[in-house]
Amino acid sequence: MAFRGPKVWLWRWRRNPLKRRADAVEAWVLLAGWALTVLAGVLAGLTTAHTVEQGMARERVEWRPVVALLTEQAPGTADSRTGTSSAASVWAKVHWSAQDGSAHTGQARVRPGSGVGTPVTVWTDPQGRLVTRPATPSEARSRAALVGGLAGLCAASVPFIAGRALRTRLESRRIDQWGYEWARFGPLWGGRTTG
């Protein structure tokens, strides 16, 4: 087991007569890498989360519920005693009118066994196209936080990996320099030690 002395804070930036230029460069590369990692992660995460939450708020304002009518018998059968079925809902063809009066058709989830002409509530965008129900404000915050966190991690990985690669390269170069210096001065020490 190697002996380790007390931990010295900021040892990479302290003055030391044995510290080489390569050591100072490595210290600043390490600091810059961590600073860029944190900055990129936080900025990308916050920006993405804000954009996602704004988009979902816009959906809540623009998307509207519309009553659509079934144009065909829905597949499946409903239990006549309880009015329920084994399947929660099935896809069936419906038609509706957009805000501008244009007619639209599409597929929507309905109760199994629903008959032709059964009203179904669907959500549409301003152009009258079918969309999903918009997220509630709490769902939007949760999704924005999740997407923002993932974006932050992805963005932070770029400077982190680049910093690690640069640091590895500097360390390899330093080890090569040590090998060169040892090959140059090592033979001069031969035979001078007394036992």
Side-chain angles (χ1 to χ4, degrees):
M1 184 167 117
F3 173 76
R4 289 188 171 203
K7 188 165 181 112
V8 178
W9 290 98
L10 303 173
W11 62 270
R12 292 181 186 272
W13 292 275
R14 290 180 180 239
R15 292 185 187 269
N16 185 335
L18 300 177
K19 186 158 104 175
R20 293 159 301 169
R21 183 171 173 258
D23 297 328
V25 169
E26 184 180 343
W28 286 108
V29 165
L30 181 68
L31 180 65
W34 278 111
L36 285 174
T37 297
V38 170
L39 186 65
V42 169
L43 286 178
L46 290 175
T47 302
T48 303
H50 180 69
T51 301
V52 168
E53 199 162 356
Q54 272 188 329
M56 290 185 175
R58 187 173 48 253
E59 289 173 357
R60 280 193 302 277
V61 171
E62 294 176 353
W63 293 1
R64 298 275 179 236
V66 174
V67 175
L69 301 175
L70 263 69
T71 60
E72 61 184 17
Q73 177 76 24
T77 57
D79 187 348
S80 59
R81 292 172 291 170
T82 62
T84 62
S85 69
S86 59
S89 60
V90 295
W91 290 100
K93 191 173 182 181
V94 295
H95 72 89
W96 68 95
S97 296
Q99 290 178 345
D100 63 1
S102 61
H104 294 272
T105 60
Q107 295 280 326
R109 299 288 260 170
V110 299
R111 282 191 303 223
S114 299
V116 175
T118 304
V120 179
T121 302
V122 296
W123 286 85
T124 62
D125 65 8
Q127 290 75 36
R129 296 179 299 227
L130 283 178
V131 292
T132 59
R133 180 185 61 82
T136 64
S138 62
E139 290 172 340
R141 278 191 298 277
S142 297
R143 289 181 195 172
L146 177 65
V147 173
L150 290 173
L153 285 174
C154 290
S157 68
V158 173
F160 178 77
I161 292 170
R164 294 290 292 186
L166 182 57
R167 189 165 169 226
T168 300
R169 176 71 179 118
L170 288 172
E171 190 170 319
S172 173
R173 186 171 171 213
R174 183 177 63 234
I175 289 172
D176 290 344
Q177 286 176 341
W178 280 348
Y180 171 74
E181 290 172 9
W182 182 255
R184 197 169 125 207
F185 293 108
L188 299 177
W189 292 351
R192 295 206 177 174
T193 58
T194 57

